[in-house]
Amino acid sequence: MTNAVIDCILSRTAAKYYDPAAALSDEQIHELVRIGTTAPTSFHLQNWRFIAVRTPEAKARLSPIAWNQPPITEAAVTFIVVGQLADSSVVPARLAPLVEAGIMPAKMVPEWEIPARGLYQDYPQRQRDEAVRTATFGAAAMIYVARSWGLGSTPMIGFDDVAVHREFGLAKDEVPVLLLSVGPERPGNWAQKPRRPVSEVLHLV
Ligand SMILES: Cc1cc2nc3c(=O)[nH]c(=O)nc-3n(C[C@H](O)[C@H](O)[C@H](O)COP(=O)(O)O)c2cc1C
């Protein structure tokens, strides 16, 4: 069975070669992030932030602290996908728009905040795990939006996290989870690589 969504997933690859002359408008970047942020997050925390590195000056700041990877200077934009340590105290504010919209009854808010507190408050490792999960879900959604628009993308962990944190003014509770380059490709990118057989990775129980 196939459809447009499956075609989009099956045809995505990690791009290496981008058209260095291509740009995305700030409206396109805004739309990419808007759609990407409909990805799910734990307790609707939305504990993410996206720094769009798209000017030559900003790219020149990022490139040397990201292994001089070519997509940073050549792709239209590279997002620093930032995860924020999970903090249950923001749950009421994050849920307020749902309550206002009549999606969630107000009395349910503590039913989300209290377990979130129990899950994260005294568990720094979990707070960080959630930051990484959240940013990864957001980046994944953006990768497929980009593909659906005919754009290439490259998730990248090849960067100095301490230097990126400092250079781009991340807050104490923020983790630079990954870089994500996005833009029109130029010829030469590989086809999607074969995967491990499903029989090796799927365990039916
Ligand atoms: C978390 C993560 C980190 C990655 N880091 C880099 C990177 O720093 N540089 C790079 O060129 N590709 C990077 N990649 C791309 C992978 O090499 C690529 O996704 C993998 O080889 C599978 O190829 P495909 O995405 O084309 O199917 C990364 C991918 C992921 C998911």
Side-chain angles (χ1 to χ4, degrees), residues 12-14 69 154-158 192-193 195:
R12 181 217 57 84
T13 62
Q69 296 208 52
T154 322
M156 288 178 290
I157 193 54
Q192 198 180 57
K193 304 171 189 100
R195 264 37 189 187

Side-chain angles (χ1 to χ4, degrees), residues 78-185:
T78 296
F79 294 94
I80 304 169
V81 184
V82 175
Q84 298 168 327
L85 302 183
D87 171 10
S88 62
S89 73
V90 306
V91 167
R94 297 288 148 82
L95 298 182
L98 288 68
V99 173
E100 269 158 43
I103 295 169
M104 175 185 254
K107 66 173 170 33
M108 267 186 81
V109 172
E111 293 173 26
W112 286 33
E113 187 185 1
I114 293 163
R117 193 184 307 143
L119 191 60
Y120 299 120
Q121 188 165 264
D122 299 322
Y123 300 94
Q125 177 71 50
R126 260 185 220 157
Q127 294 170 14
R128 196 174 194 283
D129 289 348
E130 208 55 65
V132 174
R133 267 193 289 267
T134 290
T136 305
F137 266 104
M142 288 162 66
I143 282 171
Y144 290 112
V145 175
R147 177 66 202 145
S148 77
W149 290 351
L151 302 175
S153 66
T154 322
M156 288 178 290
I157 193 54
F159 64 93
D160 177 338
D161 58 338
V162 174
V164 167
H165 197 281
R166 186 180 51 238
E167 181 64 31
F168 289 88
L170 270 57
K172 236 178 97 189
D173 71 337
E174 291 186 321
V175 181
V177 172
L178 53 83
L179 304 180
L180 177 64
S181 294
V182 174
E185 297 173 61

